[in-house]
Amino acid sequence: MAVRDWVAAKAAGAPLLLSELDPETGAPWVPAGARRVASSACPRLDIPAEGQPSPFSSSFRKSLRAYGRKLERRDVKFRWVACQEMNDELLETLFHLHERRWRASGRATSFDRSRAGLHRRLIARAGPGRGPAMVLAEQDGRAVGALYGFCWEEVFAYYQTGWEPEWADANLGTVLVAEAIRLAGLAGARVFDFLRGAEAYKYRFGATDRVDGTWLVASGMGGRVLDLRYRLAERRTRARP
């Protein structure tokens, strides 16, 4: 109630943009008179209970088995790092592997050590079933890949990955996601959230879209200008072939 009242008060006196609200948890905070100005696909997967059919296609399951056997022959093992087990050393491992992966690809990433302070604070405040968690791929006890995300209320939200470049040809990234789905389920998660972005690989794992919304209360001249910008953007999107 306090949050709803604060949002309503802000909207009464100035333009208010509520970005990327979840359709369930964010909807109660949208004040009267707001207009939905943008949508974002956030693919999610309901993790099947043990014994239930896999959400993967038969051809994808076959590929995953082949990738898994290749990694087994190279003695790669996967393990779940629960929220209460996370620490600074594991966070540093993630940054190292993430940097290695992106440097090899020749592309830039916004996930660098300037973000470390936030993630250290999240780790410090974590507890069983809530906070950062990780899946590690290890060979002879050495981390060669990692998938990092957040646990909250039976949801694991997949955030970042990284791996040593020499493992790319073994499809380590694909197997990391499959293992993260499996291990998160064993740890109590019921939903695997791929977060924002409609990349094709997410749907190969059986994800379906949950759509976040951005809402605008166009108070005053500033609000009307912002509303016009969104309307023009909508027209340009509809005009694309």
Side-chain angles (χ1 to χ4, degrees):
M1 182 63 73
V3 174
R4 188 181 297 112
D5 291 344
W6 180 86
V7 170
K10 292 286 288 185
L16 180 65
L17 189 67
L18 299 171
S19 298
E20 311 293 355
L21 296 185
D22 181 87
E24 292 183 7
T25 60
W29 317 126
V30 178
R35 185 175 79 85
R36 186 170 182 153
V37 294
S39 300
S40 299
C42 300
R44 290 160 59 108
L45 169 69
D46 290 331
I47 300 173
E50 193 170 0
Q52 288 188 337
S54 168
F56 312 153
S57 69
S58 59
S59 60
F60 190 45
R61 289 198 303 272
K62 182 178 179 180
S63 296
L64 283 172
R65 287 194 295 269
Y67 301 156
R69 287 193 295 268
K70 185 186 297 186
L71 291 167
E72 280 182 22
R73 288 194 294 270
R74 297 171 70 174
D75 200 31
V76 174
K77 297 178 173 60
F78 297 86
R79 69 180 175 97
W80 174 259
V81 180
C83 304
Q84 65 271 24
E85 298 170 343
M86 287 291 298
N87 56 40
D88 285 355
E89 182 179 352
L90 288 167
L91 183 62
E92 175 58 31
T93 296
L94 171 69
F95 278 120
H96 169 76
L97 292 170
H98 185 77
E99 288 168 357
R100 293 276 290 163
R101 173 200 172 190
W102 283 88
R103 191 178 299 129
S105 73
R107 294 179 291 163
T109 174
S110 61
F111 184 67
D112 56 32
R113 284 178 175 79
S114 67
R115 311 290 182 96
L118 168 63
H119 292 276
R120 288 194 188 101
R121 291 192 294 274
L122 292 172
I123 289 170
R125 299 183 66 176
R130 57 176 177 82
M134 183 184 288
V135 174
L136 280 177
E138 297 172 311
Q139 184 190 49
D140 298 327
R142 180 178 73 93
V144 297
L147 184 149
Y148 175 75
F150 308 99
C151 297
W152 182 255
E153 294 186 345
E154 298 189 332
V155 175
F156 177 73
Y158 157 37
Y159 183 55
Q160 294 290 350
T161 56
W163 51 79
E164 295 289 0
E166 59 266 29
W167 291 92
D169 66 338
N171 300 100
L172 180 58
T174 300
V175 180
L176 265 171
V177 175
E179 285 294 308
I181 293 169
R182 182 181 71 85
L183 293 171
L186 292 175
R190 296 293 170 261
V191 173
F192 191 90
D193 192 338
F194 285 89
L195 297 180
R196 195 167 303 125
E199 293 88 348
Y201 81 90
K202 299 177 180 180
Y203 303 100
R204 287 199 295 273
F205 285 96
T208 56
D209 283 341
R210 184 184 180 104
V211 180
D212 285 358
T214 294
W215 299 81
L216 173 66
V217 179
S219 301
M221 179 59 71
R224 289 193 288 274
V225 170
L226 190 56
D227 185 53
L228 178 59
R229 289 178 181 171
Y230 274 105
R231 291 183 186 277
L232 290 174
E234 289 170 8
R235 290 179 188 174
R236 286 194 294 269
T237 299
R238 288 197 298 268
R240 287 174 190 159

